[in-house]
Amino acid sequence: MIYIQRKERFSAAHQLYNPNWSEAKNDEVFGKCANKNFHGHNFTLTVTVKGKINPDTGFVMNLVDLKKIIQMHVTEKLDHKNLNTDVDFMRGKFTSTEVLAMEIWKILQPLIATHQAILHCVRLDETENNAVEYFGD
Amino acid sequence: MIYIQRKERFSAAHQLYNPNWSEAKNDEVFGKCANKNFHGHNFTLTVTVKGKINPDTGFVMNLVDLKKIIQMHVTEKLDHKNLNTDVDFMRGKFTSTEVLAMEIWKILQPLIATHQAILHCVRLDETENNAVEYFGD
Amino acid sequence: MIYIQRKERFSAAHQLYNPNWSEAKNDEVFGKCANKNFHGHNFTLTVTVKGKINPDTGFVMNLVDLKKIIQMHVTEKLDHKNLNTDVDFMRGKFTSTEVLAMEIWKILQPLIATHQAILHCVRLDETENNAVEYFGD
Amino acid sequence: MIYIQRKERFSAAHQLYNPNWSEAKNDEVFGKCANKNFHGHNFTLTVTVKGKINPDTGFVMNLVDLKKIIQMHVTEKLDHKNLNTDVDFMRGKFTSTEVLAMEIWKILQPLIATHQAILHCVRLDETENNAVEYFGD
Amino acid sequence: MIYIQRKERFSAAHQLYNPNWSEAKNDEVFGKCANKNFHGHNFTLTVTVKGKINPDTGFVMNLVDLKKIIQMHVTEKLDHKNLNTDVDFMRGKFTSTEVLAMEIWKILQPLIATHQAILHCVRLDETENNAVEYFGD
Amino acid sequence: MIYIQRKERFSAAHQLYNPNWSEAKNDEVFGKCANKNFHGHNFTLTVTVKGKINPDTGFVMNLVDLKKIIQMHVTEKLDHKNLNTDVDFMRGKFTSTEVLAMEIWKILQPLIATHQAILHCVRLDETENNAVEYFGD
């Protein structure tokens, strides 16, 4: 087994809040992330895929294919969007980095499986100091 | 003369649009940046100040003071905010990186002058690839 | 299980030496790191925590809480300090990055456990090329 | 067990192609990487080693020794070289990042074992967005 | 006047040599950069443009236009190419970073002038430690 | 004229204090930087040199020569040293980044002049957020 990694980036707005809570409770828990007019980030998405080396190419999987999958199915749906209002697969969900990483996993896992490779990790950096990693269940 | 530099960061949402134009014209010119639900970035603000070395400290200006000025007067007003709706000094202005850099200059220039130092440059990185620098008139 | 990460930074001086060895032996093994007048680094501490997503917040653990724990119990005790002489939890220990990472683990592990989360990794970057990772016993 | 990491860099030219395929097939699969006049990269090699802390030094293994092993046996053989024509241990092999990482593993694994430490991971970053990790069989 | 900056990247092979010199003289002056089988780099190109802010857009120049100009006229001609053999505008020239930066200037300067903006600087980073800046004559 | 740049790094300890002041006054002005047991940083030194392109090499100046000058005359004297006690050219001076940059200029300026090139800028990054630039008198 060997692991390959591809980074893609997107810039998006979001707001953290729980609709079952009062505004005061949201402010207490989410602090400035609860701003109802939204704030935003440059997110970096790092996708790690594992597999065996194809003896005809020296590749686990062509990184150009991996790049296209990530762009078409994930980052083009997120870039310059509002995660709370514009993204079908985030509807009704918290737009925390944790939840976003898990939803991206659900999208990418079957698509990568069709390339004789296995999704290993979805990593999402929200700022230079904060990140999330999800390895599936 | 010697130059000192301090970086501070903030995360904000914004939208680029011209209220005198149709939605179609805005989309044509501003592309995905015109998204009416906003998008966002992690901005990096780099402030360069010039002056002579104070013979009692070896400093042009104490970087702790410069940091506090930038945080109190600029980044705390921008961080986790919507540049189009939440920021007093951006009201009625384009929220392009160019205009934001010039407005930050106007705020910082007199404040730094009170510390026997001269504001030299306001640099704003909007993404890892796009940046603006303003050196005053 | 999902993993969240927070980076904090500190700048410190240190010296590597074994008090049971001669100066010559220390110089031979530790080289320029044995300088008895100390040298220093900008350290980057990356703390990874794992847990389940809280259905009320979308968070494993509030990163603001994680940040405060790291700052109060670790980085404020290390920043602008001499690791050999100023830090209570390093007294009588080698100030190698390995030992420092293990001592930080001992401090953080019980504190994070009180937040329904599990400390997964303490990573310490000493320079842009040298780093240590500790995952507990 | 604790993990230590050392980064080294090298700049090299290479070409991706399968000699059993037509030029058209090579172009189809490898795209611009198949350019027969070569292209090149600044590669970053990150070597992770694990072991127990030596009670006389506070080290898993002296990073100066690890650096010398990597430089003498790997990066000096790759830096400013053509991976397809100049490197003995890549002769007759695909010069994909995957294969290169595995060949570096074969060289480093026995050398590190002589220092009471265990090679854990060879990571190779080919660009800022593409990387490979190999943890052995 | 305000300055805007756009970064683009390309990966290329090259060799430094003077055809009027012996191989020994080339090796003496250019060292490992003279390798006749080529080596390569990930280059980062940073283009700085200056101008006045357009009152209809808040932009000096649309960064999307600047990006397209750089990609179409420069980086697509350099990416995954051999600078010594594949690039029309480098034919018969030294492929040093200095000369490459000056040739890129000659291409970009008139193209940017058609957008009511002025090319200010072409910066080329060859490695993380080596870079060149050209501001025109 | 064209500009070339070389980065070198060093790790050092230092303390900021004015010997003419009381300990209380030093603490008030220099804060945690006044720690009498020292703290330290990974410094990055960026040297910019300008000149004309040599028609025999395509270089302003061989970067290998520039690297050797910087290492031999500056960074080897600073790396893993205490700036307050171990460095001859800093004796009796403030070890602020400003003063250090100016002293480095004095050393490098005549050495670079012997290579038909002109020292343009000495930049010193002390942390990821704080830096100094000196362009001579």
Side-chain angles (χ1 to χ4, degrees), chain C residues 26 34 37 50 53 55 58 64 78 87 93 102 116 119 123:
Chain C
N26 270 295
N37 293 325
K50 64 183 173 186
I53 290 185
V64 174
L78 297 171
V87 182
K93 304 201 174 75
M102 291 177 76
Q116 282 73 53
L119 179 59
R123 179 186 171 100

Side-chain angles (χ1 to χ4, degrees), chain E residues 5 9-10 14 17 24 41 44-45 48-49 59-61 64 68 70 78 86-87 94 113 117 119 130:
Chain E
Q5 237 175 42
R9 293 138 216 276
F10 59 94
H14 77 146
Y17 73 104
H41 297 289
T44 302
L45 169 62
T48 309
V49 163
F59 287 164
V60 168
M61 171 183 170
V64 175
K68 282 182 190 161
I70 301 171
L78 297 171
D86 296 343
V87 182
F94 287 107
L119 179 58
N130 295 345

Side-chain angles (χ1 to χ4, degrees), chain B residues 6, chain C residues 8-14 39-45 74-83 86-87 100 124-126, chain F residues 11-14 32-35 37-43 125-130:
Chain B
R6 175 73 196 174
Chain C
E8 293 292 328
R9 292 138 217 276
F10 59 95
S11 296
H14 76 147
H39 65 283
H41 298 289
N42 301 325
F43 291 87
T44 303
L45 169 62
V74 179
T75 55
E76 283 178 13
K77 294 183 174 177
L78 297 171
D79 190 36
H80 283 68
K81 291 292 192 300
N82 183 314
L83 303 180
D86 297 342
V87 182
L100 185 55
L124 212 43
D125 287 75
E126 192 187 53
Chain F
S11 297
H14 77 146
K32 57 189 179 178
C33 298
N35 178 6
N37 292 324
F38 308 104
H39 66 283
H41 299 289
N42 302 325
F43 290 87
D125 288 74
E126 191 187 54
T127 67
E128 62 162 2
N129 294 327
N130 294 347

Side-chain angles (χ1 to χ4, degrees), chain F residues 78-98:
Chain F
L78 297 171
D79 190 36
H80 283 69
K81 291 293 191 300
N82 184 314
L83 303 179
N84 294 72
T85 62
D86 297 341
V87 182
D88 53 3
F89 63 83
M90 293 302 288
R91 203 134 294 161
K93 304 202 173 74
F94 286 108
T95 60
S96 70
T97 319
E98 286 94 327

